[in-house]
Amino acid sequence: MRISSDRSPFARRSYHLLRCTVLALAGWLVTATDATAKPVADPGSSLSITEVAPGVHRLRIGQPEEFVPSDFRVAPIQTEKLAALPEPTKPHPFNLETVSYRQTSRGLLIHVKMDETEDWYGGGLLLSHLRQTGRRQIMKVASDPPGRDGSGHAPTPFFLNTAGHGFLVDTAREVELAFGGHQRKGQGMLSGNPELAISEAALYDDGNEVSQELSIMVPRASGVDLFLFSGPTMRHVAQRHVLFSGGGFDVPEWSLGVWYRSFTRADANRVRELADYLEADRIPVSVYGLEPGWQSKAYSSSFIWDPERFPDPQATVDDLRSRGYHVNLWQQAFTHPSSPLYPKLLDKSGDHLVWNGLVPDFALPEARKIFADHMRGLVAQGITGFKLDECDGSDNKSRAWSWPDHAQFPSGADGEQMHGVYGLLYMKTLQEALTEPTFGQVRHAGLFSSPLPYALYSDLYDHKSFLRGVGSAGMSGLIWTPEVRHGTSADDLVQRMAAMVLAPQFLINAWYCTMPPWHQWDKPLNQAGIPLPDDERIALTDRVRAVAELRVKFVPALKDAFANYARTGIAPFRAPVLDHPEVKELRNVDDAWMVGENLYFAPIPGGTTEREIILPPGSWVDYHTGEAIAGGSVVTRSLVLEEPPIFVRAGADI
Amino acid sequence: MRISSDRSPFARRSYHLLRCTVLALAGWLVTATDATAKPVADPGSSLSITEVAPGVHRLRIGQPEEFVPSDFRVAPIQTEKLAALPEPTKPHPFNLETVSYRQTSRGLLIHVKMDETEDWYGGGLLLSHLRQTGRRQIMKVASDPPGRDGSGHAPTPFFLNTAGHGFLVDTAREVELAFGGHQRKGQGMLSGNPELAISEAALYDDGNEVSQELSIMVPRASGVDLFLFSGPTMRHVAQRHVLFSGGGFDVPEWSLGVWYRSFTRADANRVRELADYLEADRIPVSVYGLEPGWQSKAYSSSFIWDPERFPDPQATVDDLRSRGYHVNLWQQAFTHPSSPLYPKLLDKSGDHLVWNGLVPDFALPEARKIFADHMRGLVAQGITGFKLDECDGSDNKSRAWSWPDHAQFPSGADGEQMHGVYGLLYMKTLQEALTEPTFGQVRHAGLFSSPLPYALYSDLYDHKSFLRGVGSAGMSGLIWTPEVRHGTSADDLVQRMAAMVLAPQFLINAWYCTMPPWHQWDKPLNQAGIPLPDDERIALTDRVRAVAELRVKFVPALKDAFANYARTGIAPFRAPVLDHPEVKELRNVDDAWMVGENLYFAPIPGGTTEREIILPPGSWVDYHTGEAIAGGSVVTRSLVLEEPPIFVRAGADI
C-alpha cells in the first residue's frame, strides 16, 4: 500500500493540515481495528489524497476504472473562482482515520464514520424525498423511480451535509450509498424502539435510527476517485461542486418566457393553426416546440422532416420565427434504420437496439461529430434548441425499452456505465452543433452536467413530486422543470401553471393534446378534439394568460439568477436548507425554493388548498399583499389560483 | 471447452434424442455466427447437459458458484413420481443450437432463441402482472416491489411457457432475465409502431413488440446450472418443477379454517378477552396467532415471553388450546441482544445487524440447531406453528432496514445470496423444531421452497394485487394468502373476506387492531378502541360469520387440493392458463384461480362491483345458483358480498 500526498500549486495554505491528516491516516492503517477492513491484496492498490483545486481534494482508492464521468467534462475546473471563495475551516470533509475499504465480490466497499448529528442531502434529482440521512440510495438511471431508493431520471453521486462537507463519487456505475442506513456488528447500537409499533410506518420508516456509518459500494470496480468538497458552509460546498464540474450556465432571456410544445401529430397546417390560437389568445409564448411527429420516423428517430406532414419545413420554421418564437425540436438518440445517420453510426453504436434504432456511442468523438454535423443542418434552418428524450433508462418500467446494463459499446463502456453518462454525452453532442445560446430539455443528467443549459423533465405527473424536484436538483448542480400537460379541472390546470411562475422553465408540454390545454383541460376530450364551451374556454384562457404574464414579469429576476449561476456556481433554484442548514425547521422543506438571492417561492401543490410556509432568515415582503414578514416566521397561505405565494427579500430591487 | 453427457439411470429412454442434441450442440460450437458469443477464456469452463431426473435436464455452463439454492433442498427429488408422468415430446426445452453465453464484467450472460409465439410465465409471486412475455425481470428480494420489474417478496427464477417447457436458474443471486424484452443488433427487427403514439402507455408498454431472444444474466458468477423441465404440457412442467424441488405439501385440516392474529400489544388478559369475543361472536376460528408483543423485545426479537404481558405463558397457551384453537407465534430471525440466543449466535451470524439484532446464518447447520433447539421449548408449550416475518429484504423501502447485499456471512455467502435463500433456510430451521403437521406464514420463499408448509403474505394491501398473487405464486410452486386486516367500509371488509373463501388461508391479521375488525372496520377508530354502534357491529358480525362459515364448508375440498399437491406436485391454487394454455383468452387472467381439480374461484376485487369471468374448458355449475355453464363461456357477475363467484366442475362431489 502506498500513500501519496501530491502537492498542487494551490495546496500550500492547507499543507500543514494535510500533512497532519496523512500522518493520522498512516497511523490508522497500522492500527485499524475493524477486522473486516483489509488492504486490497493487489499490490498495485493504494490510497492517496491530493488537493486538485482550492477546497477540492481527490481521495483515490485502489485503481479507478477507465470509463468515468470526469473523462467527459464539458468545461474546465473553475480554479480562479474556487480560489476566491472563503477558506474552508477543514481541509476536507472525511476524517480519514475512519475511512476503511475492502474489495468484495460485488466491487469496492468503502466505510466512513459520520457525525450522525449532521444531515445529508444531494444525490441528484429527487422526486420523493429531500433529506438523505438514514437512507440507502442506489444511483440507478431509471425513468420510473419506484420510491425513495435513489433511482430516477438524474441520480448523481454528489452528496453534501449541513456541516459544510461534501463528496462526489467519480463513477458511471450504479454506486450504492447508505447514510447511516446500515448497521455493522461491533460498531455500536441504535437506541431502539421504545414500544411495540402498530403501523408499518413506525416499523419501517420512523423507527429507524441512524448508525454512524456512511457506506459506499462501487459495483464491479476495484478502485475509485472520491472528490471531497470543503465549505466552509453547505452552500459553498454546492458552489464548489458546480465550479469543479465546470461551472453553471446562463440562458438567453427568450428561453425564460413561456414555452409551448405542440401536438405530436400536428402537420404544418396544424402548427400554423396552433400558432394562430396562441396569438389570438394573447398567451405570451416565446418558444414553440415540435414533438416527435416533425420527423419521418419516430420511435426510433429518423432526424429528418416528414415530407408529408412538413412538405416545406423551412416555411414552417420561418413562419414560427416571424411570429417571434424560437423553435425547439424533440429528438431521441435512437437512430431509425431509415435515417441518413444510420449507416454512418452502425459501427459507432452499442450492440443492442432500442425501438429498432441504433444507440450511438457518444463517448466516441467521431460519433458525436457525425451526429452534430447532421444537427447543424437543422440549426442552419433556424432551430435554436432541442429536447433530448429517453436518454435515461427503463429498468423499472413494465417493459424494458432501453438498452440493458449488460450491453456493450465500442468505446469500451458497458450498458450500465453508458446509462450513467448518456445524458451528459448527448447534451455535449448537441452543444457541438448549436451556435447561439440556448436552453433545452433533457431526460437524463448527472455528474459534470452543470455547465450544460438543459432542464430535466418527466412523464411522471404527481404535482407534489414535481415541486420537490426543483429544490433537490439544484443542490446537485441540476435544473428541473415541473412542466404542465393537462389538468384534472380548470382550477388544477391554473394551479399547476402558477407553480411554474418561478420555476426554471415555464413549459406547457401539450404533446398529446390536439389543442392548447386552456381550450380543454380534460385530456381525453382534448385528444378527441372537443373544446370547452366558449364561455368556459374564454374564462380559462384569461386566467392562463394572467399566470403567463406574471411569469413574464419575473424574467429579468430569473435571468439574474442564471447569470449569477454562470458567474459564481450558486444554483439559481435550490432548497432553502442549502442557504440555512442551521435552521432545523428548513431541513425537510422540499416544496419551496430560493430563486436567486432575493426570491422565495412556495407554490401550493395541486390537490391542496392551503399550506404552511417557513420563511428563511432575513426580512421578507409578500409579493401579492406587500405585507412585511420576518425570517423564521411560519405563515399560512390559502390557495389564490393565479397568485402563487412569492416572497421578496426586503429592499431587493425586483 | 468440454462437452459431457453423463447418463443418469433413468436417461435411457431419451438417450438417442439427447445424443442427437449433443451432436447438434457440438456443431453449433464450431459454427456459431454470433460474434459476441465467445467461449469463456478460462480453460475450466464448459457447457454440458445431463438428464438428472425424468424430464429434467441440467445444463451446466461454466463453473457454478459454491452457494446455490439446490444446496439447501429440504426433500429429495421425487424421481418415481416424475417417472410416472407422461413422456415429454421433446427431451428438453431449449434449442441448444441457439444457446450462446459469454463472461462479462457483470457476470455470466446467456442468450437463447425463443419461439416468440409462445407465452412465458413464472418468476415466483407476482402482484402486478402474470404474463412475462416481453418483460425484463430481476429476481431481487424486496418487501415493496416497485412495479413489474420482478422484485418482490418471493422472486423465484423458475419460468415456464405455453409450449410445455420450463427452466430454473440455480442461483441465489439477483439474476436478470428478459423474455424478448431486449433487442440485439443484427438479430432481426421488430415490426415497429404504425403511428405516432399519443400516450405513455403506447410509447412504453403496448408499443413494445417482442424480440426472439431470452437473455439470462447471472451477476457476479462465472457459471451456473440451469435445470430444464419438459412437459409434455405446461401443467406438467409446473408439476415437474415441484417434484424436482422435493414435492408439494399437505396441511392439517385445522389450518384451513379461520385464522385470527390478534393485537400486537395485547397482554394475557386482552388475549383472553379477544378469544371471548371470537366465541361470543360465533366466528369459527381454528388458529389464534400472537404478534410481536408476546416477546419481551421486538424489534428485534428476543424469542422469550414478555414477563409483564404474559406472566404465565403456559396458562395463556392452555386457555387458547382448551377453546379448540391452535396457537401460532410471530417471530423474525433478527436476534435481540437480550435474547438467550444472542451469545450462542454471535459468531454464527452476518456482519451486519438489523434493528440491533443478529442475523443468524441459517446456512450453517449449527446455527439452525441452536435456533431450532430454542423453538422446541415453545413447541413443547403447545405452539403448533410460526409466522416468519421480514426474512425478505428492504431495498425498495425508504429506509433500508435489512442487511445490505454486501454483507458477509460465516457460511461464505454475501448478503445478496443470503437474501436469495433466507426464507427457505428460515422455514427449514423451524421445521427442525416442529413435531406435528403445520401450516405457517412466511415473508420470503423461492426455489426449493415447495415442500415447506408456509403461505406468503405482505404489508401491501391493494386488493387486486392480493388476488393476483394466488394464481401467480402457484405456477412457481409457492402459496400466497390475500389476508384481511381492515376495511375501507363494512362492505369492503366483507368483500375482502369473501375473496378468501377459496384462498390458501383464511387469515384475519388484526395485528394493529385493538378489537376484531368486524367490531370496527375503520383502522384509526379500531386503534383508538372505538367500536361501531351496536346494531352495525351485530349486523357486520353476522355477515363476517356467514363468510367464515362458507369457508369452513369448503375445508374438505381444500384439504383434497393440498393432499393432491403432496401426492402429485400439482399446485392446489393456480392461474387457469396453467391447465389450459391453448385457450388464448385465459393467458392474461390474473384474478381467478383453479382450486384443486374441480373448483374455479373468481372473486370480485375490492372497489369494483362486477366482473367478467371466462370459464375454463369443461362443464361448470354456479355454486350459488346451480346454473350450468359451458366451459369457454364468458359470464358477468355482479357483487353479492357474502357470495363470491364459485364454479364447481359438473359432476364433481363438492
Side-chain angles (χ1 to χ4, degrees), chain B residues 78 81 238-239 241-243 245-251 439 448-454 473-479 558-574 596-597:
Chain B
Q78 306 290 296
K81 290 176 181 178
Q239 201 176 351
H241 164 242
V242 168
L243 292 171
S245 303
F249 61 85
D250 197 0
V251 294
F439 196 10
F448 300 101
S449 299
S450 68
L452 291 158
Y454 289 80
M475 296 175 89
S476 298
L478 302 174
I479 300 289
L558 293 162
K559 173 78 177 140
D560 276 356
F562 275 102
N564 193 44
Y565 190 34
R567 203 166 50 241
T568 66
I570 289 170
F573 304 86
R574 58 196 185 276
E597 298 304 316

Side-chain angles (χ1 to χ4, degrees), chain A residues 171-199:
Chain A
T171 178
R173 298 208 175 273
E174 295 166 355
V175 57
E176 293 183 38
L177 304 100
F179 296 87
H182 297 313
Q183 187 191 8
R184 279 198 295 165
K185 199 154 81 178
Q187 302 285 309
M189 301 297 255
L190 310 178
S191 56
N193 255 337
E195 64 174 349
L196 288 163
I198 58 167
S199 74

Side-chain angles (χ1 to χ4, degrees), chain B residues 609-620:
Chain B
T609 55
E610 74 169 35
R611 64 168 292 174
E612 280 198 345
I613 300 165
I614 306 166
L615 274 297
S619 299
W620 299 92

Side-chain angles (χ1 to χ4, degrees), chain A residues 613-633:
Chain A
I613 300 165
I614 305 166
L615 275 295
S619 298
W620 298 92
V621 176
D622 184 311
Y623 174 80
H624 302 292
T625 66
E627 179 194 357
I629 305 167
S633 303

Side-chain angles (χ1 to χ4, degrees), chain A residues 106 135 146 183 185 190 196 200 204-205 265 346 349 351 353 356 390 398 416 443 485 527, chain B residues 106 135 146 183 185 190 196 198 200 204-205 265 346 349 351 353 356 390 398 416 443 485:
Chain A
R106 306 179 68 75
R135 299 195 190 283
Q183 187 191 8
K185 199 154 81 178
L190 310 178
L196 288 163
E200 288 90 355
Y204 300 125
D205 296 328
R265 292 182 184 165
L346 190 58
S349 57
D351 66 346
L353 303 176
N356 284 330
E390 283 118 2
S398 60
E416 174 191 15
R443 221 167 77 179
R485 297 179 171 195
Q527 292 193 329
Chain B
R106 306 179 66 77
R135 298 196 190 282
Q183 186 191 8
K185 199 155 78 177
L190 309 178
L196 288 163
I198 58 166
E200 289 90 355
Y204 300 126
D205 297 327
R265 293 182 184 167
L346 191 57
S349 56
D351 67 346
L353 303 177
N356 285 328
E390 283 119 1
S398 60
E416 174 190 17
R443 222 167 77 179
R485 298 179 170 194

Side-chain angles (χ1 to χ4, degrees), chain A residues 1 41 58 100 115 131 137 144 155 194 233 259-260 264 279 296 302 375 380 426 437 463 497 511 548 555 602:
Chain A
M1 179 168 290
R58 187 193 70 195
S100 65
D115 177 349
R131 201 164 61 101
Q137 299 280 282
D144 281 56
T233 69
W259 290 60
Y260 187 83
T264 185
E279 287 186 0
S296 59
S302 64
M375 297 308 150
Y426 194 9
H463 198 226
M497 290 216 180
W511 72 275
V555 166

